[in-house]
Amino acid sequence: MALNLQEDRGCPIDRQRFTWKELVQTPISKLDDDAFTRVRIILMNGIEMEALRFSHSCARMNRDLQLPLAEVRRTEQHQATTVNGLLGADHSTLETTIAYEQVAIEVTALVAQNEPDEYLAQVYRFGMLEDFDHLYRYSAMLDRLEGKDANNILQCYTDIVPGRPTIVEHRAPQDDLREHYNRALAAPISKLHALTILSGEQQTQNFYLNVAPLYADPVVRQLYIEIASIEEQHVTQYESIIDPNETWLEKWMLHEANEVYNYYSCVQQESDPRIKAIWERCLDYELGHLHVARELFKQHERRDPAEILPADLPEPIKYESQREFVRKILNQEVDLRARGTQFVPKSQEGPESQQYREHLNSSGSPTNTVAAGYQWSPGTELVRGRELAYTEFARDEELTR
Amino acid sequence: MEKSTVLGTNRTGIDMSPIDIKEMVALSNATPSSSPGDEQAIAKMRREYIAGAGVIGSVPPPGTLKGMASTAMEKLAGKNPEAFIDKLGCRLAFERSGVRLYDALITKCSATVDQGHGIPLNTLRKFRDEEFRHFKLVEGAIRSIGADPTAQTPSADVDAMASIGLIQVLTDPRTSVAHCLEAILIAELADNDAWQLLIVLAEKMGMDEMAREFQTALQEEDVHLTHVRQWYKQMIMEDAAVAS
């Protein structure tokens, strides 16, 4: 199926309809479906959430676009609901969190390799190593809170070892901003990459903020809010690489093109036929949205969408383990730090970020606490077998006497 | 009966990825943790929070403490009525939720009756109605001592927290009748013990009439537990093809 971003009209917006039952379908099997099916679900939910967030911001600044934005947004809302509902309730919140980090690692690693702009590729590699560390921390928490193995979710596609330690990821805001691509010069795929990763990270930030209070354990709460703080930094980083000189309509068209690109990637690789049919429907709807945005772009800006959009879709995202690449980058770049918009050896990090995190970590580091001495083993660390030392019991008895 | 446990493409274990798992384990073994210690670090942080924590909530004062006299409350004089009210409130809430758990179980069993599970729906409906009557019984008991049966007491709140998973199991369309029976069994086991404790507590509080009424409820709960336990066991044995 060859798509043309400049011409395909997809399903007309007035024929994009759902029933409540279509919005709540049978979820995937946590146990039997491939982990990359779950990765696609989480990423596409993130992309739909960004579509909604962008559309609302755009509507607040553009009276003339409010109606078409609202019409398209209604479908985006229902697509988001359909997609997110594919996750089963047998995922504990921490298990879903493990899957979120798998998305961040595998998709960002792939994007980093496909990104033609070397600086942007470096930005992605930098962020990826931080999410890689989050996976290790959450895996320790899942093991030590629920007694579960994170690899039941990861299915051996993604390693569980420390990355750039989260404790040193906390930076002053000025060290989270990056150089943006040039809207006139950047390759179309660079723009789609930026929107894709921004969407994923933003969804992750929102998820962590929302779920932290669901836990009774203050240790888990601290862990979530520490990592949510890094996700805020990541959203700051990734939105800053997007050219702020793009017009609202240019951005809208790129958002729709990105949704087409990502659903197309899902359609190409989905192993579950029932889920593939959902991706195909969403792809058809997104082509309809892109058509709306293209027509408005022509009408309001008197420009040809071909200035912005390529005719052909770039190569789809390949959903497969990026283990070798991640290991190579872990080996080579774990000690990089950010200084302003540039990446430097840790010895050259600026004082602002060091001072910022010195205070933040002064009452302890949740990410270090939960993973103290943690090394992942298949079947949880309890497989390595260790009973509580007798001295522990003796001390407690002493205290309760 | 149709099998509820099937062989399939479960991908969660390491045997599904024999090559990748070797690489994963080798890297994990070769990579030290980034900070020293063990899970006691978590225990230490929890202890700090426990030391600074308040209670989860309080028991509202019964009418008598607000100046309303009652024969029942006179019997409680010199004791700690709030502890009794807390446990009464807990039982009320559990029985009320129990009605909803049975509603969900009845739906599951009636929707799957063609699988030949053999669970008698009328017996389930009877149990459901008995949970409802127990709820009303405790509601009356709480009123009789001038307390408010619409208040959520701390023990009721905590019990509900513990029961969230049971509701999830009973309402997930993909769970089997056996999964749901196990969830109900967990509830009935806890319920049975809780009634026994409540009866002793009522007696110690001098509420002999109340304790006698609760005894009737316990007898019905005994029947629930016996049946659910037997159904569950039978189903598992049949699923494993070892039922005699």
Side-chain angles (χ1 to χ4, degrees), chain A residues 31-32 137 217 222 373 376, chain B residues 11 28 31 34-35 46 49:
Chain A
L31 310 180
D32 292 0
R137 311 287 158 178
D217 188 347
Q222 279 205 15
W376 172 80
Chain B
R11 297 172 195 262
S28 182
T31 310
S34 65
S35 54
R46 284 178 182 159
Y49 270 94

Side-chain angles (χ1 to χ4, degrees), chain B residues 34-91:
Chain B
S34 65
S35 54
D38 57 24
E39 63 265 56
Q40 287 305 310
I42 291 176
K44 180 172 178 288
M45 198 199 286
R46 284 178 182 159
R47 275 196 292 269
E48 288 167 7
Y49 270 94
I50 291 167
V55 295
I56 203 159
S58 62
V59 176
T64 317
L65 297 185
K66 291 183 281 193
M68 187 179 94
S70 84
T71 316
M73 282 308 289
E74 283 168 15
K75 292 181 186 170
L76 296 174
K79 297 165 187 150
N80 188 355
E82 51 269 34
F84 188 42
I85 293 166
D86 182 35
K87 284 299 166 199
L88 285 170
C90 178
R91 207 72 264 109

Side-chain angles (χ1 to χ4, degrees), chain B residues 164-219:
Chain B
I164 287 170
L166 304 180
I167 297 165
Q168 292 283 75
V169 171
L170 278 151
T171 55
D172 191 324
R174 304 167 304 164
T175 53
S176 68
V177 172
H179 294 143
C180 293
L181 282 174
E182 186 174 13
I184 287 281
L185 179 58
I186 292 168
E188 290 289 10
L189 282 165
D191 201 20
N192 203 278
D193 253 36
W195 274 111
Q196 293 181 41
L197 179 65
L198 190 63
I199 289 166
V200 173
L201 189 58
E203 287 167 348
K204 298 273 188 195
M205 286 284 176
M207 301 289 169
D208 295 339
E209 178 59 28
M210 194 187 287
R212 271 193 295 279
E213 289 175 348
F214 288 174
Q215 197 69 47
T216 312
L218 176 60
Q219 285 164 5

Side-chain angles (χ1 to χ4, degrees), chain A residues 28 31-32 34 90 136-137 152 158-159 217-218 222 323-324 327 368-369 372-376 384 386, chain B residues 9-12 17 20 23-25 27-29 31 33-41 46 49 174:
Chain A
I28 59 162
L31 310 180
D32 292 0
D34 188 87
D90 50 338
Y136 165 73
R137 311 287 158 178
N152 289 163
T158 312
D159 289 327
D217 188 347
Q222 279 205 15
R323 172 174 281 117
E324 292 316 311
R327 287 184 176 195
N368 269 3
T369 297
Y374 189 75
Q375 277 183 301
W376 172 80
R384 292 178 190 258
R386 195 177 74 82
Chain B
T9 57
N10 185 312
R11 297 172 195 262
T12 58
S17 313
D20 288 337
E23 286 196 38
M24 278 186 81
V25 170
L27 182 70
S28 182
N29 288 341
T31 310
S33 63
S34 65
S35 54
D38 57 24
E39 63 265 56
Q40 287 305 310
R46 284 178 182 159
Y49 270 94
R174 304 167 304 164

Side-chain angles (χ1 to χ4, degrees), chain A residues 158-396:
Chain A
T158 312
D159 289 327
I160 309 170
V161 292
R164 179 175 303 119
T166 306
I167 192 172
V168 302
E169 294 173 10
H170 304 291
R171 290 177 288 275
Q174 63 262 41
D175 290 332
D176 283 321
L177 295 175
R178 306 286 169 254
E179 305 289 343
H180 63 78
Y181 63 69
N182 182 317
R183 64 195 274 235
L185 304 175
I189 187 64
S190 293
K191 301 177 183 180
L192 304 185
H193 280 162
L195 279 177
T196 299
I197 301 302
L198 169 66
S199 302
E201 295 291 321
Q202 185 169 259
Q203 155 182 249
T204 304
Q205 179 195 6
N206 289 337
F207 181 70
Y208 295 169
L209 287 171
N210 285 328
V211 302
L214 299 181
Y215 278 94
D217 188 347
V219 179
V220 189
R221 288 176 170 226
Q222 279 205 15
L223 176 66
Y224 269 110
I225 56 111
E226 183 183 352
I227 296 181
S229 182
I230 301 300
E231 303 303 347
E232 155 59 24
Q233 294 181 207
H234 284 181
V235 175
T236 301
Q237 164 172 284
Y238 291 123
E239 73 189 3
S240 71
I241 63 176
I242 296 171
D243 192 337
N245 301 305
E246 289 167 346
T247 66
W248 280 104
L249 269 164
E250 197 173 335
K251 284 183 183 296
W252 185 8
M253 233 170 27
L254 283 168
H255 273 78
E256 300 301 348
N258 191 47
E259 289 169 69
V260 168
Y261 170 63
N262 274 283
Y263 278 122
Y264 179 73
S265 299
C266 293
V267 168
Q268 293 299 305
Q269 289 158 81
E270 184 54 64
S271 53
D272 183 328
R274 186 173 62 86
I275 307 300
K276 183 175 180 177
I278 295 173
W279 301 144
E280 285 170 339
R281 181 178 182 180
C282 290
L283 173 58
D284 198 25
Y285 284 10
E286 291 301 345
L287 284 167
H289 301 169
L290 180 58
H291 173 64
V292 170
R294 269 196 321 252
E295 292 306 305
L296 287 164
F297 181 79
K298 284 191 238 174
Q299 181 189 328
H300 287 265
E301 300 207 359
R302 307 282 175 204
R303 293 162 67 197
D304 184 350
E307 288 178 32
I308 313 295
L309 302 174
D312 300 327
L313 273 178
E315 274 296 297
I317 289 176
K318 281 202 171 51
Y319 289 100
E320 55 193 24
S321 174
Q322 305 300 319
R323 172 174 281 117
E324 292 316 311
F325 176 75
V326 174
R327 287 184 176 195
K328 186 178 90 176
I329 301 308
L330 182 63
N331 197 34
Q332 295 172 349
E333 301 186 4
V334 73
D335 286 335
L336 286 185
R337 301 288 183 268
R339 182 163 194 169
T341 59
Q342 302 304 308
F343 301 102
V344 297
K346 65 179 176 185
S347 58
Q348 294 173 27
E349 192 181 29
E352 295 86 356
S353 283
Q354 293 184 53
Q355 287 161 11
Y356 166 74
R357 68 168 167 265
E358 189 180 5
H359 176 76
L360 204 52
N361 292 325
S362 60
S363 68
S365 159
T367 47
N368 269 3
T369 297
V370 303
Y374 189 75
Q375 277 183 301
W376 172 80
S377 281
T380 79
E381 69 177 346
L382 293 179
V383 168
R384 292 178 190 258
R386 195 177 74 82
E387 294 182 6
L388 281 180
Y390 176 73
T391 49
E392 279 298 317
F393 294 120
R395 197 191 62 192
D396 286 348

